[in-house]
Amino acid sequence: MFGRTTAGARPRAAGGGANRWVVLLVLCVSLLLVALDATVLHVAVPAVTEDLRPSGIELLWIVDAYPLVCASLLILFGTLGDRVGRRRVLLLGYALFGVASAVAALATTPEVLIGARAMLGVGGAMIMPATLSILRAVFPDRRERATAIGVWTAVAAVGAATGPVLGGFLVQHFWWGSVFLINIPLMLLILPIGRWLLPESRGDRGGPWDVLGALMAAAGVLGVVLGVKRLGAGDALLDHRTAGPLLAGAVLLALFVRRQKRRRHPLIDMRMFARATFSTSVGCIVLAMLALVGLELIAVQYLQLVLGLSPLETGLRLLPLTFAAMAAGATGSLTLRRLGPRRMVGWGFVLTAAAVVLLTLMGQHDRPLLLTAGFVLLGFGLQTTLFGAYESMLSEAPPEQAGGAAAIGETSYQLGAGMGIALLGSVMNAAYAPGLDAASAPPAARSAAAHSLGEAYQVALQLGGPAGDALRTAARHAFVHGLHVTLFVSAGLLLLGALAALRLPKVMECAEPDDITGLPDGQRSPGARSGPSAPEPASAGTPLRERLRPEPAVPARRAPAEAGGPARTGRAPH
């Protein structure tokens, strides 16, 4: 059950149920900042390199410190929020994020910038699961929560897509540190608003917080993500820099799971994964990201290196994908009610696979209408899938474990993204490199060009003459061939996700809406069901803090059709 609201939450809860939409606005602004920071630095890397002169390893850590630290600490801070209060962790995350942004913007050495990016990762790990778990608390009605999650996922998509465009604009007109400075005024605004407005909630769970288990989970996820990123960068699986972190991370995660199963008060109740809806939703998130993230990176290379578009033109070509994702998020609640989780997630996978297959028609020449249609279907299908999976996962998890469940969902997202870059990048390289063998260029030049299309262009420029032209043409054709192979592999992964979605519930089962709106028993809507999970009716003007208090246990009311059978639990069927 939800924890009790503290006395300091009284002004925040004032205003009753309508106030929850203002809470959603604050949470979405929080998420927007975190999503922006994940991608805003990418276009500033050349400027950072010119100014700070980092080594190759330092530059790698400048880019990767934020996502690595953030992914590794999601479980730690998600479960800590369940214990000490999700609002408290979120506000601390705001403060740390603002301080780290100032340090990053004013960094004069690579070491300081790396440390600041790591601090940003800590702040992001405090913010991300807290936003989703607080959302779970302030929207107890599943219908309204589905709408809120749709807005939440759409904001995440907008943030990730807007980051490079905003970063490019700031770097072009100011200096690279400005990509971090934009966080500071927003944090100065949102910190007092969040402190005044957001309600406190926590899991009603006894026992001490498992500090050792939290550190094991953090180190395990860090090792796995680091190893996966090494694979995505082209390192061999058996290389000690790849195999070492992967093996250590896997062992630590296995020990973490074993420890949680044995503890009386675990950080994460592993029995959640025994529920088909929860485990399938997590698997669908991983598969969706596995199939799409690496593909997006390859698509950007296609637009810039094959079609010759500028970074701004590339960003504009990708805008239909973002708008379609926003539309899917905005209509996700209605779609979920009409189709149910199984068909929504399954058909979302199928639609995305169809978009990927459609994009195999891309060739050496620009086809704007084809690309636009493919990106629209891709964005709508992907967001539909992620919406249904996130909503089903969060609704299936017990409310007192909302922080841990949100952390699991976000960690799955990060792992799927990293694995997608590694897997599809490997497929792309395997299909691309052999295409250069027929080029009439020296073996050393072909070997260097096999690393990437960008390097092939540089080698061709150095060669010059007919040999350079032949290598450039062969590289372009090999890249397009590799892209087609990668698209088909991605489509296969997406269809596997559609099959996995068959384990999700057919219908979206909700607690009776009258439990939220406060209608008396005599005015309940047709089809509303009763159960021990349903809270007592609350008046429409009841403050949010009162509606988040745990209710005393009451005897279960059985529906007439269930006489003689077990009372419903209010949880979606598996």
Side-chain angles (χ1 to χ4, degrees):
M1 299 297 294
F2 297 115
R4 294 187 295 274
T5 306
T6 60
R10 290 174 185 173
R12 297 187 296 276
N19 199 50
R20 62 190 178 275
W21 299 106
V22 183
V23 171
L24 175 63
L25 176 62
V26 175
L27 297 178
C28 285
V29 173
S30 311
L31 179 66
L32 182 65
L33 288 174
V34 176
L36 274 172
D37 234 63
T39 57
V40 73
L41 184 64
H42 292 173
V43 295
V45 167
V48 171
T49 303
E50 182 179 354
D51 188 19
L52 301 185
R53 302 294 180 182
S55 66
I57 296 297
E58 288 173 336
L59 183 60
L60 182 66
W61 278 105
I62 287 172
V63 175
D64 286 345
Y66 176 82
L68 281 173
V69 172
C70 185
S72 63
L73 295 179
L74 287 169
I75 292 177
L76 187 153
F77 286 118
T79 56
L80 180 62
D82 286 341
R83 296 289 180 139
V84 305
R86 294 147 186 161
R87 170 181 166 269
R88 179 179 301 175
V89 172
L90 181 62
L91 294 179
L92 288 174
Y94 287 162
L96 183 59
F97 208 82
V99 171
S101 297
V103 174
L106 302 176
T108 56
T109 65
E111 294 81 8
V112 172
L113 184 54
I114 291 171
R117 289 279 288 171
M119 288 175 58
L120 283 168
V122 176
M126 300 174 80
I127 293 171
M128 290 178 70
T131 59
L132 197 54
S133 54
I134 291 175
L135 185 151
R136 172 70 171 85
V138 298
F139 289 95
D141 175 32
R142 188 173 181 182
R143 294 175 180 86
E144 288 189 343
R145 184 166 66 245
T147 301
I149 291 177
V151 175
W152 186 88
T153 54
V155 167
V158 171
T162 307
V165 178
L166 179 60
F169 174 82
L170 291 173
V171 171
Q172 182 175 349
H173 291 85
F174 303 99
W175 94 108
W176 63 263
S178 61
V179 303
F180 299 109
L181 281 183
I182 59 174
N183 296 331
I184 297 176
L186 289 174
M187 284 301 172
L188 289 175
L189 177 66
I190 201 173
L191 184 59
I193 291 177
R195 187 174 184 275
W196 175 75
L197 181 68
L198 296 177
E200 183 61 282
S201 68
R202 59 174 59 87
D204 186 17
R205 303 171 66 191
W209 186 54
D210 184 9
V211 179
L212 179 59
L215 294 176
M216 290 172 62
V221 173
L222 177 62
V224 171
V225 174
L226 181 58
V228 167
K229 280 186 170 290
R230 290 286 188 184
L231 283 174
D235 290 353
L237 177 60
L238 298 181
D239 189 304
H240 69 279
R241 294 177 301 177
T242 302
L246 278 175
L247 182 60
V251 170
L252 284 172
L253 288 178
L255 292 175
F256 169 76
V257 171
R258 182 182 179 185
R259 179 181 177 86
Q260 298 309 298
K261 287 181 177 179
R262 293 183 172 185
R263 287 185 65 86
R264 183 177 179 183
H265 300 287
L267 283 175
I268 295 176
D269 189 351
M270 292 299 162
R271 290 175 296 181
M272 286 194 296
F273 287 95
R275 301 172 182 172
T277 299
F278 185 87
S279 57
T280 301
S281 298
V282 171
C284 287
I285 293 172
V286 173
L287 269 175
M289 300 314 300
L290 181 68
L292 268 303
V293 169
L295 182 61
E296 288 179 0
L297 294 177
I298 297 170
V300 169
Q301 293 179 14
Y302 170 80
L303 292 173
Q304 293 188 4
L305 298 178
V306 175
L307 300 185
L309 302 181
S310 68
L312 178 59
E313 291 171 330
T314 299
L316 293 176
R317 285 294 184 92
L318 292 173
L319 281 181
L321 188 151
T322 304
F323 291 146
M326 292 171 61
T331 59
S333 177
L334 178 62
T335 306
L336 185 61
R337 289 199 300 269
R338 291 194 173 185
L339 297 182
R342 181 184 299 177
R343 284 187 291 176
M344 181 176 186
V345 176
W347 283 110
F349 270 123
V350 171
L351 180 62
T352 311
V356 168
V357 172
L358 177 65
L359 291 175
T360 59
L361 299 177
M362 295 187 303
Q364 302 289 329
H365 304 288
D366 192 5
R367 303 180 68 179
L369 293 180
L370 172 66
L371 286 173
T372 300
F375 285 156
V376 167
L377 294 177
L378 190 68
F380 195 90
L382 174 63
Q383 194 68 15
T384 297
T385 297
L386 289 175
F387 175 93
Y390 265 110
E391 198 284 334
S392 298
M393 178 201 70
L394 199 62
S395 295
E396 181 69 8
E400 67 271 15
Q401 297 182 26
I408 290 172
E410 292 299 326
T411 304
S412 302
Y413 186 102
Q414 298 287 346
L415 286 176
M419 292 166 61
I421 294 173
L423 175 62
L424 296 186
S426 299
V427 171
M428 179 69 192
N429 290 336
Y432 163 73
L436 300 177
D437 293 340
S440 56
R446 292 201 305 268
S447 177
H451 295 154
S452 69
L453 183 58
E455 290 190 45
Y457 283 177
Q458 293 178 0
V459 173
L461 185 62
Q462 294 172 359
L463 285 177
D469 293 340
L471 180 61
R472 183 182 181 90
T473 301
R476 282 169 55 92
H477 284 88
F479 184 89
V480 172
H481 170 71
L483 176 61
H484 291 167
V485 173
T486 306
L487 287 169
F488 282 119
V489 171
S490 180
L493 292 171
L494 291 165
L495 292 178
L496 284 178
L499 292 176
L502 295 176
R503 300 183 69 214
L504 292 174
K506 290 185 64 175
V507 297
M508 174 187 177
E509 288 201 5
C510 306
E512 53 189 83
D514 313 312
D515 295 333
I516 309 303
T517 60
L519 292 176
D521 287 348
Q523 299 180 21
R524 295 194 173 179
S525 56
R529 58 183 180 83
S530 302
S533 65
E536 291 297 315
S539 65
T542 302
L544 183 60
R545 66 182 185 278
E546 297 296 334
R547 290 160 61 187
L548 296 181
R549 293 181 185 272
E551 298 293 336
V554 295
R557 296 172 293 172
R558 298 171 184 254
E562 296 176 299
R568 292 189 184 182
T569 63
R571 186 166 289 127
H574 295 166

